[in-house]
Amino acid sequence: MKLELRGITKRFGALTANDHIDLTVEPGEIHCLLGENGAGKSTLMNVLYGLYQADEGEIVLDDVVQHFSGPGDAMAAGIGMVHQHFMLIPVFTVAENVMLGHEQTGFAGRLDLAAARAKVREISDRFGFDVDPDALVDDLPVGVQQRVEIIKALSRDARVLVFDEPTAVLTPQETDELMAIMRQLKQNGTSIVFITHKLREVREVADRITVVRLGKVVGEASPTATNAELASLMVGRAVELTVQKEPARPGAAALVVKNLSVIDPRGQLVVDDVSFEVHAGEIVAIAGVQGNGQTELTEALMGLQPRVTGDVTLDGRSLRGLTVRKVLDSGVGFVPEDRKEDGLVGEFTIAENLMLDRSNGAPFVKAGGLQLSYLAEFAEEKSKEFDVRSQGITTQVGRLSGGNQQKVVLARELSRQLRLFVAAQPTRGIDVGSIEFVHKRIVATRDEGIPVIVVSTELDEVVALADRIAVMYRGGIVGIVPGDTPRDVLGLMMAGEIPAGTDLEGTAA
Ligand SMILES: Nc1ncnc2c1ncn2[C@@H]1O[C@H](COP(=O)(O)OP(=O)(O)OP(=O)(O)O)[C@@H](O)[C@H]1O
Ligand SMILES: [Mg+2]
């Protein structure tokens, strides 16, 4: 189906999030939308999906002007959306989820389910998805859950599919599989809009690329453009894609983790006897495929896991058994993996989120009173420094674009007096220009003599930042290697193997 967006304009109060945007997607085309955080990509797609009503402009499908007053209308017209935060119900099976909300008439519930199972099988076979209609969604890996979302859309005959940052939560292998799926859908004549901040992905699948900046289309880019060209078109200036950093000058061991194990709420051993040290002034990256214990390891350090054994000391003082509040108060900065869940309060303003967890004293609270003017000044300064794009510091954080929410978390955590900085997926959802900035800040934090842990599933990020790399596999550390270890060696270690001749010393100089 041919999709045309003509002159779409969407305003939020004084802000024009989409400013007369024109976009055409041909049948069987993969069209990438590239743009900085807050450029207006998600807004445009939400207009297309009927979640927002445009103030001006029209949506045209196969030359027919559409009027969507909600997602139901958009779906009925053949538009499907694969959300990044899945809308699936975990305790239901795949078929039940696909059936949900489907307006099938004339069937009793039981028959509906039979029809839904057949539908799942049929679509799954047609595209080689390998999805079992009777599997419980909760038991499926993220990549497969995403396929269920795709099946759900296809079962409603979607002929335009929107993917808004679908790969942010996927492993590299799942990402490759998703790309293959997109190519197949394309063969089938489905039109695809694909939003991502990862330039490699854009170059791999895009037939056409439209670049949006500050709500306007600024041009089209060729899929054969280099990363540097794409980045500068997006951001409007040249971007350093790799951070310059001096060799680390590590001091004494600051964080010492000994024989740490974690048992999760299901009774599984998820971190298995892990020991390592992080020295003052060095960055230790924890690499690994998502789901190999990295999340639980950082949670254990932060006091967020109840069943932990082993020792954790920071500058000689034990962190074990402390509440999260006490861990934060002892100078640990923390960027959680899931900003919506653990990092921010969506209904609070930017300013309020910037002082979250610091409401117990100076400088924000004095003599029992909130220092409003101090907070305002601080929030203005940090928003500017971290380039948080918003209508002002009293904007609710939940209304910011994804990448800008992430910047608020980083701004808060990096503006405290730190003794240790722990960042999980620090640049998830962040545009290339801002990644440059965040990486520089992390290196600067190291250079102030602070020990830093970066957990990342992005090998690019690991290699860019790490002085040493600890690779996790099935809850254990496979080995700790120097920061300049070749990628193929890291790749093998991420699968649990240690190639002969690997330098496993990885000791801080
Ligand atoms: N419901 C809303 N109310 C007010 N402002 C909003 C709302 N939704 C989005 N905005 C604003 O519109 C602008 C565009 O946001 P949008 O989410 O479309 O950006 P994006 O290009 O998807 O960015 P990212 O790459 O960070 O996801 C931002 O300034 C954002 O704060
Ligand atoms: Mg977005």
Side-chain angles (χ1 to χ4, degrees):
M1 190 151 62
K2 179 172 175 176
L3 163 71
E4 285 169 275
L5 298 176
R6 295 185 188 150
I8 298 286
T9 297
K10 177 67 192 168
R11 299 185 192 92
F12 296 109
L15 176 102
T16 307
N18 290 161
D19 190 354
H20 297 95
I21 290 193
D22 293 322
L23 182 78
T24 303
V25 186
E26 300 290 342
E29 174 177 285
I30 300 179
H31 199 120
C32 282
L33 268 188
L34 262 188
E36 289 177 292
N37 296 131
K41 307 176 295 293
S42 296
T43 301
L44 184 68
M45 291 304 109
N46 287 335
V47 167
L48 172 61
Y49 198 55
L51 284 163
Y52 294 150
Q53 263 65 60
D55 296 303
E56 292 172 42
E58 45 192 30
I59 299 169
V60 183
L61 294 174
D62 281 342
D63 300 321
V64 180
V65 178
Q66 307 290 319
H67 299 279
F68 299 156
S69 53
D73 293 347
M75 277 187 251
I79 314 262
M81 178 113 117
V82 177
H83 295 272
Q84 192 190 93
H85 280 261
F86 300 136
M87 307 285 170
L88 303 174
I89 300 182
V91 297
F92 282 9
T93 66
V94 170
E96 284 165 342
N97 267 285
V98 168
M99 190 176 77
L100 222 78
H102 238 304
E103 266 102 66
Q104 287 197 351
T105 47
F107 289 111
R110 230 164 237 290
L111 281 177
D112 266 351
L113 186 57
R117 291 169 70 199
K119 193 89 191 166
V120 171
R121 277 229 176 75
E122 186 253 310
I123 295 172
S124 182
D125 287 349
R126 178 149 43 107
F127 293 100
F129 282 178
D130 193 21
V131 174
D132 172 8
D134 299 315
L136 274 189
V137 162
D138 204 19
D139 295 335
L140 300 174
V142 178
V144 181
Q145 292 191 23
Q146 194 167 62
R147 276 180 226 174
V148 177
E149 287 275 9
I150 300 171
I151 291 175
K152 207 171 159 177
L154 294 176
S155 74
R156 278 149 214 220
D157 300 320
R159 285 151 68 215
V160 176
L161 265 187
V162 175
F163 292 87
D164 190 352
E165 293 190 48
T167 59
V169 292
L170 299 185
T171 64
Q173 199 199 332
E174 287 171 333
T175 300
D176 289 341
E177 287 166 6
L178 176 65
M179 305 266 190
I181 286 172
M182 284 200 234
R183 284 196 201 95
Q184 279 195 6
L185 291 167
K186 164 187 150 149
Q187 296 292 319
N188 201 46
T190 309
S191 315
I192 294 176
V193 182
F194 176 34
I195 301 174
T196 179
H197 287 294
K198 298 179 197 169
L199 303 178
R200 178 184 77 81
E201 298 169 3
V202 174
R203 297 187 328 138
E204 205 171 307
V205 293
D207 295 310
R208 281 168 73 201
I209 303 168
T210 293
V211 182
V212 194
R213 201 187 307 149
L214 299 171
K216 290 194 174 86
V217 172
V218 293
E220 222 179 273
S222 157
T224 57
T226 62
N227 281 356
E229 286 164 352
L230 291 177
S232 71
L233 195 58
M234 234 172 107
V235 181
R237 63 174 169 85
V239 177
E240 267 182 62
L241 292 168
T242 39
V243 226
Q244 304 296 321
K245 69 179 182 19
E246 301 294 315
R249 283 182 282 135
L255 179 77
V256 179
V257 176
K258 267 197 201 132
N259 306 112
L260 187 81
S261 292
V262 178
I263 294 178
D264 77 0
R266 296 176 177 194
Q268 307 273 357
L269 183 67
V270 282
V271 175
D272 185 3
D273 194 22
V274 157
S275 299
F276 62 96
E277 291 178 352
V278 185
H279 291 245
E282 75 162 339
I283 300 174
V284 171
I286 299 186
V289 174
Q290 183 93 39
N292 277 281
Q294 306 96 310
T295 308
E296 292 83 359
L297 171 62
T298 52
E299 286 175 354
L301 298 178
M302 297 309 299
L304 284 162
Q305 282 283 345
R307 293 173 72 188
V308 179
T309 55
D311 289 323
V312 179
T313 56
L314 177 60
D315 298 329
R317 275 184 303 242
S318 178
L319 292 185
R320 259 284 315 280
L322 297 188
T323 58
V324 187
R325 181 55 173 261
K326 287 254 166 64
V327 174
L328 292 170
D329 285 350
S330 54
V332 182
F334 181 49
V335 176
E337 195 177 292
D338 187 341
R339 62 177 169 251
K340 282 208 166 80
E341 202 63 32
D342 306 314
L344 296 165
V345 181
E347 300 76 43
F348 284 12
T349 66
I350 293 176
E352 287 161 350
N353 272 283
L354 283 171
M355 64 164 286
L356 223 60
D357 278 318
R358 292 210 270 164
S359 51
N360 56 341
F364 296 111
V365 177
K366 279 186 191 149
L370 185 58
Q371 303 301 104
L372 278 177
S373 61
Y374 178 82
L375 176 60
E377 207 176 294
F378 175 80
E380 292 290 357
E381 189 189 306
K382 290 299 157 190
S383 296
K384 197 159 166 225
E385 187 184 336
F386 283 80
D387 193 24
V388 177
R389 308 264 174 105
S390 75
Q391 286 174 273
I393 57 163
T394 55
T395 305
Q396 286 185 359
V397 154
R399 300 209 160 165
L400 297 182
S401 79
N404 281 300
Q405 294 185 6
Q406 181 75 2
K407 291 187 212 167
V408 173
V409 178
L410 285 158
R412 179 183 67 223
E413 297 304 308
L414 282 171
S415 51
R416 295 162 40 201
Q417 281 292 349
L418 295 182
R419 288 170 161 274
L420 170 69
F421 183 52
V422 180
Q425 315 299 347
T427 56
R428 182 171 277 178
I430 286 195
D431 69 51
V432 283
S434 300
I435 288 176
E436 173 191 21
F437 171 76
V438 170
H439 281 178
K440 281 185 176 159
R441 284 301 302 251
I442 292 176
V443 171
T445 303
R446 174 199 81 168
D447 290 342
E448 282 164 28
I450 295 162
V452 177
I453 295 179
V454 172
V455 179
S456 183
T457 49
E458 294 287 324
L459 220 41
D460 286 340
E461 180 155 81
V462 167
V463 171
L465 290 174
D467 298 309
R468 292 190 298 146
I469 303 168
V471 183
M472 283 190 84
Y473 178 69
R474 296 201 173 153
I477 290 183
V478 183
I480 302 180
V481 292
D484 58 3
T485 302
R487 281 165 194 252
D488 52 338
V489 173
L490 293 172
L492 284 169
M493 291 178 72
M494 284 163 70
E497 285 171 48
I498 303 176
T502 304
D503 175 6
L504 276 184
E505 262 311 290
T507 42

